[in-house]
Amino acid sequence: MKYNELGTGLKLEIRFIKDDGKKTDRPFASELEWVEENNVLYIAAPIYEGRVYPVPIGSEIAVSFIKDNSFYEFKAKVIDRENKENLAILKVQALTSIEKIQRREFFRFDVNLPVKYRVLESVNKKSNEEYTETVTRDLSGGGLSMRLIEPVEIDKYLDCELFISCKVKFIGKVVRLTKYDVLHGPYKYEIGVCFEEIDESLREKIISYIFQEQRKLLKKG
């Protein structure tokens, strides 16, 4: 894949590359603004807790994205910072070719959204049980955390419906169960759920939703 094949508005996630060559654990949401000659890209500066995250010139970053239902990544160096119509932008020089990668961790966005779930006997079996309604604690392109009144065991599969700008149906797997020391409203527990089966177009809508909500927080200051 060539850089000039990437379209404006492509949702990105970036990680900083440390001196030892390893990537930081925390990913940040970003967006492709435009591409110029010699593999120079302009991307939205990352946002953290409603503010533009400071990125020094000279920083090396790993940039990843989803395209055609596959995950891709390349490395780049920040060579300048600009502002366009009150949008903070990073000018980056690509250092590597774009490579296909395996699924990885995603940026997590703290948000309370309505979600419904029901427990499945296995990932391939359907359920006729009624959905249980609850709320998320955070959301990412790879899964979510949700608050529960009653616990669900680790490794259980869930049939879920998440509500953002559209309904997102997916099969998830419980990978974490936590009991709160103090009640959060009526909720005693929290589970981490990874997406096991989800349409990639819906995953992209989740990532787009997260980025747009980050933008809204930034505008609010």
Side-chain angles (χ1 to χ4, degrees):
M1 181 180 297
K2 297 181 180 180
Y3 286 97
N4 59 13
E5 296 176 18
L6 305 182
T8 296
L10 179 67
K11 300 303 179 290
L12 310 171
E13 289 191 353
I14 65 176
R15 280 183 168 87
F16 294 98
I17 300 174
K18 298 182 287 187
D19 293 339
D20 61 5
K22 295 181 179 180
K23 291 175 282 190
T24 55
D25 293 332
R26 178 187 296 277
F28 294 87
S30 182
E31 183 178 66
L32 179 63
E33 299 300 328
W34 70 90
V35 179
E36 293 188 344
E37 294 181 351
N38 301 317
N39 297 337
V40 172
L41 302 90
Y42 289 79
I43 66 175
I47 303 167
Y48 179 63
E49 294 184 345
R51 297 184 180 277
V52 173
Y53 190 83
V55 180
I57 292 175
S59 299
E60 291 192 6
I61 57 176
V63 183
S64 54
F65 59 91
I66 299 172
K67 188 174 177 65
D68 299 328
N69 296 336
S70 295
F71 295 88
Y72 295 90
E73 183 176 88
F74 64 90
K75 293 181 181 179
K77 185 174 184 177
V78 179
I79 58 177
D80 201 3
R81 294 179 303 215
E82 300 181 9
N83 279 281
K84 178 186 177 184
E85 299 177 354
N86 295 321
L87 176 64
I89 294 176
L90 301 180
K91 181 180 180 181
V92 304
Q93 173 68 61
L95 301 176
T96 65
S97 59
I98 300 172
E99 298 180 352
K100 185 178 289 189
I101 61 171
Q102 297 298 314
R103 183 184 300 184
R104 79 283 186 238
E105 289 299 316
F106 292 81
F107 170 78
R108 288 195 170 273
F109 180 62
D110 291 337
V111 63
N112 295 321
L113 293 169
V115 61
K116 300 194 299 185
Y117 72 93
R118 55 189 177 190
V119 178
L120 301 175
E121 290 186 14
S122 71
V123 69
N124 297 316
K125 287 190 176 181
K126 295 184 179 180
S127 172
N128 294 319
E129 297 294 325
E130 292 292 325
Y131 283 101
T132 298
E133 297 183 4
T134 186
V135 295
T136 65
R137 188 186 69 81
D138 63 39
L139 176 65
S140 80
L144 52 79
S145 298
M146 64 173 76
R147 303 186 191 276
L148 303 181
I149 295 176
E150 298 294 334
V152 177
E153 296 177 2
I154 291 175
D155 290 334
K156 289 290 188 181
Y157 290 97
L158 304 178
D159 173 17
C160 300
E161 293 184 353
L162 172 71
F163 299 89
I164 46 177
S165 56
C166 61
K167 182 166 68 175
V168 177
K169 292 181 65 66
F170 65 91
I171 302 298
K173 183 179 181 180
V174 179
V175 295
R176 175 177 53 82
L177 170 62
T178 303
K179 184 176 182 180
Y180 292 138
D181 294 328
V182 180
L183 287 178
H184 289 254
Y187 305 111
K188 301 178 183 178
Y189 301 91
E190 179 181 309
I191 56 173
V193 180
C194 69
F195 298 145
E196 285 289 312
E197 294 184 4
I198 184 171
D199 188 283
E200 290 302 329
S201 65
L202 293 178
R203 190 197 301 272
E204 290 185 31
K205 287 184 178 181
I206 290 174
I207 294 172
S208 178
Y209 166 82
I210 291 171
F211 185 79
Q212 296 305 323
E213 290 300 306
Q214 287 270 86
R215 283 274 182 88
K216 290 178 184 178
L217 288 176
L218 182 60
K219 291 180 180 179
K220 290 179 181 179

